[in-house]
């Protein structure tokens, strides 16, 4: 069995574990494929577990590698049967991956048994030089039990090596009982020296609040709850996305921020399968999260609103915003959007504007300005819930760098 060695002796692709993908001085990540080791159970219905992890890592541009800890007979209604994989086979899967492909980050989900938890804790690096995201799975979305008391007790060893632990509220209560979730999380941070992401999805109310508790910092997010029953695999998807972004070298709060955005879009894109808690739509989250400068939106001028609307609808584009007589937005297969807009006086030739989405808009604009590009205005919050910065190319075409997140394809006023 290969054991972890000092990172100082390691070179990417020739050693078992590697530090996160290098980041250039200007903040741009190198274009290497992050290698994510997922240690988790299999969900035969494809909504959660290894299946959700693979879809998430793949859609975010990484390479998912798996060590399966348990096989479940599971669908959107419930868990019918669970078989734990022998511990030596779990370790053999990890060993096979480590000895050939290498690992940039690890995501741990359903662990299967206390014995497997101990074996995984023995194998993985214990100095947090490689990001490890631990989702302490105890119960499936449908209510099926996926971890017994002994296994949950063994979670402490995995928390000891984790970069971040991502419990929902019931899991946090089990790991650190108490009336105050933040106080409970702080105890875990103190006891295990890991960060804790408190997931508020099980709380009541229209607002959904998540909080990242670190030793010296707390970051919180509040969003409107998405009305959907297709929530199977949200925890798996979030944890895998965090691991992917940590492997790209992002700070933990930024990794969580982008992972949350991916989860929210996957919830909105759910295909509506099954009779119970259906799977999410990870495969439909395209051009929404990822590398900087995503060309995902074009705005064209119009003179005749009805004629232009009918023209693009006849091409097969799906209307998602209609604001006659001045504006409409359409979604194309693959996730790009096209808008038609009554051209303003400052529009480019033909009234066209090309949009490039940047997750780190302010940082990207600052970097480009230092390189000599001149902006008509810097990052500015707009009434339509986008943050935009504008400049022109040498011909005078209007270029917009922006960040919209889910408000590009799913604004509050989306139709249909």
């Amino acid at each position: 069995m290969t054991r972890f060695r000092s990172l100082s002796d390691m070179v990417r692709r020739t050693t078992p574990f590697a530090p996160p993908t290098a980041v250039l001085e200007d903040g741009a990540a190198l274009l290497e494929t992050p290698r994510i080791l997922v240690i988790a159970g299999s969900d035969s219905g494809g909504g959660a577990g290894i299946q959700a992890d693979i879809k998430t890592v793949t859609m975010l541009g990484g390479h998912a590698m798996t060590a399966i800890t348990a096989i479940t007979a599971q669908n959107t209604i419930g868990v019918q049967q669970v078989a734990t994989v022998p511990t030596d086979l779990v370790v053999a899967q990890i060993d096979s991956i480590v000895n050939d492909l290498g690992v940039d980050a690890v995501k741990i989900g359903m662990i299967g048994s206390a014995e497997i938890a101990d074996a995984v804790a023995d194998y993985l690096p214990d100095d947090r030089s490689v990001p490890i995201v631990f989702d302490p799975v105890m119960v499936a979305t449908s209510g099926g039990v996926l971890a017994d008391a002994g296994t949950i007790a063994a979670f402490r060893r995995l928390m000891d090596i984790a970069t971040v632990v991502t419990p929902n509220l019931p899991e946090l209560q089990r790991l650190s009982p108490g009336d105050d979730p933040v106080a409970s999380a702080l105890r875990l941070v103190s006891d295990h020296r890991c960060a804790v992401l408190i997931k508020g999805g099980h709380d009541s109310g229209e607002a959904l609040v998540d909080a990242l508790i670190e030793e010296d910092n707390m970051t919180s997010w509040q969003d409107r709850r998405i009305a959907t029953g297709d929530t199977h695999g949200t925890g798996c998807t979030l944890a895998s996305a965090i691991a992917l972004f940590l492997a790209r070298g992002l700070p933990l709060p930024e990794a969580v921020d982008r992972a949350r955005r991916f989860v929210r879009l996957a919830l909105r894109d759910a295909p509506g399968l099954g009779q119970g808690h259906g799977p999410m739509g990870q495969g439909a989250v395209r051009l929404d999260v990822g590398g900087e400068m995503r060309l995902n939106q074009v705005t064209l001028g119009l003179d005749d609103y009805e004629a232009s609307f009918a023209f693009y609808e006849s091409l097969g584009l799906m209307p998602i915003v209609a604001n006659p007589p001045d504006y409409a937005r359409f979604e194309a297969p693959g996730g790009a959007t096209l808008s038609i807009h009554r051209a303003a006086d400052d529009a480019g030739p033909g009234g066209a504007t090309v949009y490039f989405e940047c997750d780190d808009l302010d940082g990207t604009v600052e970097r480009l300005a230092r390189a000599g590009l001149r902006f008509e205005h810097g990052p500015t919050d707009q009434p339509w819930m986008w943050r935009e910065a504008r400049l022109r190319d040498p011909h005078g075409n209007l270029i917009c760098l922006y960040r919209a997140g889910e408000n590009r394809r799913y604004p509050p006023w989306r139709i249909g």
Side-chain angles (χ1 to χ4, degrees), residues 271-322:
L273 304 177
Q275 303 173 55
H277 295 284
M280 302 164 66
Q282 294 94 336
V285 182
R286 303 171 183 173
L287 301 176
D288 295 297
V289 181
E292 299 297 85
M293 294 295 179
R294 297 187 300 278
L295 175 53
N296 58 15
Q297 158 75 18
V298 174
T299 297
L300 301 175
L302 68 86
D303 292 319
D304 185 327
Y305 179 89
E306 292 184 358
S308 294
F309 191 100
F311 173 80
Y312 288 107
E313 194 171 29
S314 69
L315 291 181
L317 304 188
M318 179 176 64
I320 59 174
V321 175

Side-chain angles (χ1 to χ4, degrees), residues 201-270:
H202 284 71
D203 207 354
S204 59
E206 288 298 311
L208 188 150
V209 180
D210 297 334
L212 175 64
I213 313 298
E214 301 174 88
E215 288 186 284
D216 57 356
N217 189 48
M218 185 175 89
T219 309
S220 62
W221 294 263
Q222 179 171 319
D223 292 290
R224 187 175 181 83
R225 189 180 300 273
I226 297 172
T228 177
D230 294 330
T231 56
H232 192 42
T234 49
C236 306
T237 298
L238 179 66
S240 286
I242 293 171
L244 181 285
F245 288 121
L246 289 176
R248 288 200 181 279
L250 294 178
L252 180 56
E254 180 65 19
V256 171
D257 183 72
R258 297 193 190 189
R260 290 182 76 258
R261 198 178 334 144
F262 181 86
V263 169
R264 288 183 63 82
L265 284 158
L267 285 169
R268 293 188 180 279
D269 284 320

Side-chain angles (χ1 to χ4, degrees), residues 345-362:
D345 292 339
D346 63 346
T353 306
V354 178
Y355 289 75
F356 295 89
E357 188 160 17
C358 308
D359 290 319
D360 181 14
L361 175 63
D362 291 49

Side-chain angles (χ1 to χ4, degrees), residues 132-153:
I132 298 175
V133 181
F134 176 36
D135 179 19
V137 176
M138 301 180 189
V139 178
T141 303
S142 60
V145 176
L146 300 176
D148 59 23
T151 302
I152 295 171

Side-chain angles (χ1 to χ4, degrees), residues 6 38-39 46 56 58 86 92-93 98 167 170 214 218 221 223 225 315 327 372 375 379 390:
S6 171
V38 181
I39 304 171
T56 298
T58 300
Q93 293 175 81
V98 164
E214 301 174 88
M218 185 175 89
W221 294 263
D223 292 290
R225 189 180 300 273
L315 291 181
Y327 184 86
F375 284 81
R390 297 198 170 205

